[in-house]
Every structure is written in C-alpha cells, then in structure tokens.
Amino acid sequence: MALAREEIDFKNIKREADVEILVKNMIQTNKVIAHLKDEQFEIRNEIKRRDETISKLEDDIWLLKKETRWNMLWRNRLDDNIDKTQIVLAIVFSINILLTYFMSR
C-alpha cells in the first residue's frame, strides 16, 4: 500500500532490473570477446613463429641436401683419384721390380 501511495510502478522496476541484467551480460560478453581476441592474437603469433621455424628447417634441409650432393661428388672424385693413383703405383712397382731384376743379372 505504501508503494501505491508513492506511485511506484512495478513495470518500471522490472524494466530497470532487466536493463541491469542486460548491461551485466553485455559487459561479461565484452570481456569474453576481449579474451578471445587476445587468444586469437597469441595463436596468430604462434602460427607465425611455427611458419618461420618450418621455413628455417626447410632451408636447412635444402642446404644439407646440397652439401650431401657436394660431398658425394667430392668423394667420387677422390675415389677416382685413389683408383688412378693405385694403378700408377702398381705400374711403377712392377717397373721397379723388373728393373731390379734386370739390374741384378
């Protein structure tokens, strides 16, 4: 009865309470959105770091493949030179034996 005397409208009170709830929900929603934006930014940075790491690894792999090819070529050349040197030494050794044999006679 006292409320009726002071002309308080329950509809207005309910509307104000609803507005307060909506404002609180909007504030919470904005906080969640801000948090999700922060997480999205962190995830983007992590993806960039991973992409950079992958790029560096691919470059390293390419360099290793290039170095491996170079080493294989170098080794093949060395093997060829060793083979030729062994043949030359075998011929020189044979000539040396023949010369020693004929000189001793």
Side-chain angles (χ1 to χ4, degrees):
M1 300 265 176
L3 294 176
R5 277 187 241 137
E6 294 179 20
E7 298 178 7
I8 295 177
D9 189 7
F10 289 110
K11 290 181 183 178
N12 287 338
I13 293 173
K14 186 175 186 228
R15 284 186 198 143
E16 288 175 14
D18 289 344
V19 169
E20 270 187 52
I21 290 171
L22 286 174
V23 169
K24 286 180 183 178
N25 284 339
M26 288 177 65
I27 290 172
Q28 288 175 347
T29 303
N30 286 339
K31 286 180 182 178
V32 169
I33 289 172
H35 178 69
L36 291 174
K37 283 183 179 180
D38 290 342
E39 284 186 13
Q40 184 181 24
F41 182 74
E42 290 174 12
I43 290 171
R44 282 183 183 164
N45 285 339
E46 187 176 333
I47 290 171
K48 285 180 185 178
R49 284 192 302 269
R50 286 184 181 174
D51 287 345
E52 290 171 359
T53 303
I54 289 171
S55 176
K56 288 178 184 177
L57 289 173
E58 286 174 344
D59 291 344
D60 290 346
I61 289 170
W62 182 78
L63 288 173
L64 286 171
K65 285 181 179 179
K66 183 178 177 182
E67 184 178 335
T68 301
R69 279 189 231 121
W70 172 254
N71 287 340
M72 287 175 60
L73 288 172
W74 180 252
R75 183 178 178 142
N76 287 341
R77 286 184 183 171
L78 283 176
D79 289 343
D80 289 344
N81 288 339
I82 289 170
D83 292 342
K84 289 176 185 176
T85 305
Q86 286 176 343
I87 291 171
V88 168
L89 287 175
I91 292 171
V92 169
F93 182 71
S94 299
I95 292 172
N96 191 15
I97 290 176
L98 288 174
L99 286 174
T100 305
Y101 175 74
F102 287 122
M103 288 178 76
S104 66
R105 287 187 132 211

